[in-house]
Amino acid sequence: MAGVKGRKAADLGISSELVRSALRTLETEAAGLAALSAAINNSLGEPFVAAVEKIRAASGRVIVTGMGKSGHIGRKIAATFASTGTPAYFVHPGEASHGDLGMITRDDVIVALSWSGETGELRDLIEYAKRFHVALVAVTANAKSTLAEAADVLLLLPQATEACPLGLAPTTSTLIQLALGDALAVALFESHGFTALDFKALHPGGKLGARRGGGVDRNHHRRRPAPTHGRQSALALGRRRDVQEAEDRAARSARGRGAGLYERGQGQRLVRGGRSEARRARARPRVAAHRRRLAHDPRKVGAGFRKGSCAAKMS
């Protein structure tokens, strides 16, 4: 019996130590968040506003990037941006050096996370941003780092003690990065009037999508146009131009052969339908001319519409 009581006492001592460890971790990380709040209220406030304005003014997307634990935080920040009305996606620095730089355009804004600011995998991306004049927002704790010096906007994070007792595993530092990303996302969607209905349109699934509170309407997407991105609009305009050019070319070709009229909309079907539709479109003027000849020669009416004939297929 005494042995059992002794083990219980030992277990209680271990549990108490684990609780104290958890409390030390939370207190250390809370101090880091307090330092971030103080920084935004002082020297970090102006760059924060500049970062929000630069992202708002961009006609492209937000490209979030980072390596290691900063990369994991970056993925979450990009997801939060995207779900709250700021088009964004994550680009891995290593993959960027092997072709994914092609995902980034001059209309985009890069948000690069690196606590030290000297992450080697980010160098190709930094050089790309310089070469093609892509806006770069740096999130780092080292003001003299390569990343900080290359940035258009520097979000300098406060120095913080890691909760890891070895001072090695990113804990407080990644929490600060995540909190700053959330602050950017919320400031952005508040500034452009993002509503619960907009969130519903972008997040229809899961428990959040199923909620009807706050005036969310299931038919909202049927009455309001979907959020249109500048680049998507350009693609749509380019498609309309392709359709118009196809119609104009076909009409000129039909007039040149002296054949029948080329109907409006055939150019769009040409673009969508491929070769089979193109062959049918080329046949229509010939069929129309054949029908006109039949109208003036009653003897050929029966022959003109024999089973399997071109005219019969087109009718």
Side-chain angles (χ1 to χ4, degrees), residues 70-260:
S70 294
H72 294 309
I73 296 299
R75 289 182 185 274
K76 195 276 178 184
I77 292 174
T80 301
F81 278 157
S83 68
T84 53
T86 301
Y89 56 89
F90 178 83
V91 173
H92 190 281
E95 298 296 340
S97 298
H98 292 269
D100 282 2
L101 285 173
M103 297 179 177
I104 306 172
T105 72
R106 295 183 180 181
D107 297 328
D108 298 330
V109 176
I110 300 172
V111 177
L113 289 81
S114 172
W115 187 260
S116 68
E118 296 294 346
T119 304
E121 291 84 353
L122 288 175
R123 291 182 180 177
D124 288 338
L125 201 148
I126 293 172
E127 290 299 322
Y128 182 87
K130 287 181 180 179
R131 180 180 178 186
F132 293 101
H133 306 288
V134 183
L136 176 61
V137 176
V139 181
T140 181
N142 186 356
K144 297 181 179 180
S145 63
T146 302
L147 178 60
E149 292 177 354
D152 298 295
V153 178
L154 171 59
L155 297 178
L156 185 62
L157 301 176
Q159 296 295 328
T161 303
E162 298 287 11
C164 168
L166 302 176
L168 298 175
T171 47
T172 309
S173 58
T174 50
L175 180 62
I176 290 175
Q177 289 175 330
L178 182 60
L180 182 63
D182 287 342
L184 286 170
V186 173
L188 282 164
F189 86 67
E190 285 182 341
S191 67
H192 56 62
F194 191 79
T195 66
L197 294 176
D198 297 319
F199 185 85
K200 171 77 173 180
L202 298 178
H203 197 300
K207 193 72 173 179
L208 292 176
R211 290 176 60 181
R212 295 292 300 274
V216 176
D217 186 352
R218 292 182 183 274
N219 296 318
H220 164 65
H221 64 284
R222 298 180 183 176
R223 292 195 293 269
R224 292 186 58 182
T228 302
H229 190 265
R231 187 157 48 199
Q232 293 171 350
S233 300
L235 289 174
L237 179 59
R239 184 176 180 83
R240 289 196 296 271
R241 288 174 177 169
D242 291 342
V243 170
Q244 185 61 49
E245 289 176 2
E247 290 181 347
D248 292 344
R249 286 196 302 270
R252 289 195 299 271
S253 177
R255 287 196 298 270
R257 292 193 302 268

